[in-house]
Amino acid sequence: MGRILLRVLGLLVVSSFCCGITQEHKPVLTVSPSWLRPGASVTLSCRVERPSAGWRFYWYRAVPDLSHKNYSYVPLPDSINGTVQDSYVLHGQTHTAGYACRADGRNPDYSTGYSEPKFVWSAGPDPTASLTVTPAKEQHFISESVSINCEGDSPHWIVKEFVTLNNRSKLSDCSTWRTMSGSSCTFNIYSSYRAVCWCESGSGAFSNAVNITGHNGDLFLVSPVHPVTEGSSVTLTCRLRGQNTVSNVIFYHNDKLIQNNGREELNISKVSQSDEGFYKCEYSGKVSPQSWMAVQAVSRPESSTFPVLLVIRSVIGVGVIIILLFLLCRCIKSEASQDKNQQQVYSSLLHGDLRVYEKNRRPENSGNGQREDPEEIPEYDDVTSE
């Protein structure tokens, strides 16, 4: 009886271990880079707590499901049968998107669930969805009211945030920590608030993403929350709590001093890719937090090269026409010359000149005095066949 109880207890232990193995082996997905430059490659990495040579990894796109406040998962191309490698490279990614992974071991009991979704954020505009921030800046004082509005093709939107606090991150949406009013979410910035915010629609679309930070100090930098288009102008200012702007400000770009001339603002008249980076300001010994200013490259229109291509095509076209006309003239001239020769032949025959006939006629006797086979002697009824 005791042995039976021990066996039952052993089975229960094994069963509980196998049942809990999925949670124990829940994979962790990482994406690199997390902030996307349009068209760049993105690497997904799936990590399992107990590495094994027998794992196969499956990769998914996370599609928003607002009805369940969750995500559905769609397999990525070439991932239906899984991969042996624990990484997956995405090429040509252009907009904000969510991803997840899972893993299967050789033993079916070692199959994991889906990882927590991770995101690749793009600050660039999306033609199907867009996010705007009011006031339109990245840094905000504590208790300042911020409004995020979602727009696009879908009538149903929700604001998502990925908050980082004390080196810990949390994904949530406006309906759980704020009240959505239509497609807008308004809230007050709290201490040490640092988050990436974006919009998700009921049709599965993602908007552009923005950084929003709360600052508990007295000085912060007023910088664009959205990317600045290459070639446009931008103005950065320094704001002191209780004042709109201050003068005698020092500005830094990537920790390098770029302006110290007593002005109250930093003006960049024509933004280039080299202007992208971190900015901060200093006033009266106080230094603001730094903010990232993104620069969006201008797509080079084909119209700029169209006139040149048009000229080249025109020249090529004219050249081809000239060559064709030249060949046509040669053909006409050749045919005219051939007709002239034929007329001479006809004229010679009509006037009894048999030399033409004799010229084209083989001799009846060969060199050895024997007559050639009549069947091998060609007919000359049509003299013009020459």
Side-chain angles (χ1 to χ4, degrees):
M1 187 69 177
R3 291 181 179 179
I4 296 176
L5 289 175
L6 288 174
R7 288 182 180 179
V8 171
L9 289 174
L11 290 173
L12 289 174
V13 170
V14 172
S15 176
S16 62
F17 174 78
C18 293
C19 293
I21 202 91
T22 297
Q23 296 299 323
E24 185 179 355
H25 286 260
K26 189 173 185 179
V28 176
L29 179 69
T30 57
V31 297
S32 180
S34 55
W35 279 96
L36 179 69
R37 188 174 284 275
S41 297
V42 177
T43 300
L44 309 180
S45 299
C46 197
R47 181 174 58 85
V48 182
E49 292 182 5
R50 290 188 177 182
S52 170
W55 290 108
R56 291 192 69 84
F57 298 89
Y58 300 83
W59 312 91
Y60 303 88
R61 182 182 296 275
V63 180
D65 183 0
L66 299 190
S67 61
H68 295 87
K69 298 181 181 180
N70 207 332
Y71 296 93
S72 57
Y73 298 100
V74 178
L76 292 175
D78 304 325
S79 175
I80 296 177
N81 296 324
T83 63
V84 177
Q85 296 79 13
D86 60 357
S87 62
Y88 185 96
V89 179
L90 295 161
H91 299 286
Q93 181 68 33
T94 56
H95 299 111
T96 299
Y99 297 97
C101 71
R102 70 176 182 87
D104 284 348
R106 291 177 179 174
N107 189 328
D109 292 336
Y110 283 83
S111 179
T112 71
Y114 295 106
S115 67
E116 292 293 329
K118 291 296 177 68
F119 301 88
V120 179
W121 295 299
S122 171
D126 189 315
T128 61
S130 65
L131 174 150
T132 56
V133 181
T134 306
K137 56 186 181 181
E138 178 181 331
Q139 296 181 15
H140 302 265
F141 283 132
I142 302 303
S143 300
E144 186 175 2
S145 179
V146 176
S147 180
I148 298 177
N149 185 62
C150 306
E151 295 180 355
D153 299 337
S154 176
H156 304 292
W157 294 95
I158 193 167
V159 176
K160 303 286 285 192
E161 70 166 0
F162 192 78
V163 181
T164 301
L165 184 62
N166 298 327
N167 295 325
R168 298 184 64 182
S169 299
K170 180 182 178 182
L171 176 66
S172 60
D173 59 69
C174 184
S175 63
T176 59
W177 45 274
R178 310 286 190 270
T179 300
M180 286 284 293
S181 177
S183 297
S184 297
C185 181
T186 303
F187 58 97
N188 292 328
I189 296 293
Y190 58 84
S191 179
S192 302
Y193 180 83
R194 184 161 60 95
V196 179
C197 299
W198 69 95
C199 301
E200 294 177 0
S201 74
S203 60
F206 291 83
S207 75
N208 56 308
V210 295
N211 274 314
I212 297 179
T213 59
H215 181 37
N216 200 24
D218 295 327
L219 187 72
F220 74 85
L221 179 73
V222 180
S223 60
V225 69
H226 298 294
V228 181
T229 304
E230 186 179 17
S232 63
S233 62
V234 65
T235 298
L236 306 182
T237 59
C238 210
R239 182 179 171 186
L240 190 65
R241 185 184 295 273
Q243 301 182 32
N244 290 330
T245 56
V246 291
S247 57
N248 297 321
V249 178
I250 302 173
F251 290 92
Y252 296 87
H253 177 217
N254 293 332
D255 289 327
K256 181 181 179 180
L257 177 66
I258 57 172
Q259 181 172 299
N260 185 18
N261 54 12
R263 295 183 181 179
E264 63 182 20
E265 57 188 23
L266 172 64
N267 295 310
I268 305 175
S269 58
K270 192 174 183 180
V271 176
S272 65
Q273 289 293 331
S274 62
D275 294 315
E276 186 172 81
F278 288 101
Y279 288 83
K280 63 183 178 181
C281 62
E282 180 181 349
Y283 170 74
S284 188
K286 297 182 176 66
V287 180
S288 73
Q290 62 181 7
S291 288
W292 175 267
M293 187 181 79
V295 177
Q296 180 180 343
V298 177
S299 58
R300 309 301 178 189
E302 295 182 1
S303 58
S304 60
T305 59
F306 178 74
V308 177
L309 294 175
L310 183 61
V311 171
I312 294 175
R313 290 174 182 173
S314 300
V315 172
I316 294 175
V318 171
V320 171
I321 292 175
I322 293 174
I323 293 173
L324 291 175
L325 288 175
F326 175 75
L327 294 175
L328 182 61
C329 291
R330 288 290 300 271
C331 291
I332 294 174
K333 185 176 179 180
S334 177
E335 290 180 1
S337 176
Q338 192 175 21
D339 289 343
K340 184 177 179 180
N341 293 334
Q342 291 175 353
Q343 290 296 330
Q344 291 177 353
V345 172
Y346 282 123
S347 177
S348 298
L349 291 175
L350 289 174
H351 289 83
D353 191 353
L354 298 180
R355 287 176 298 177
V356 176
Y357 177 81
E358 293 296 337
K359 178 182 178 182
N360 292 282
R361 182 177 184 274
R362 294 184 181 181
E364 290 185 356
N365 298 321
S366 60
N368 57 11
Q370 294 181 355
R371 182 187 179 97
E372 291 184 353
D373 190 348
E375 294 181 357
E376 295 181 356
I377 300 176
E379 298 292 337
Y380 294 97
D381 295 336
D382 188 2
V383 183
T384 62
S385 63
E386 190 177 30

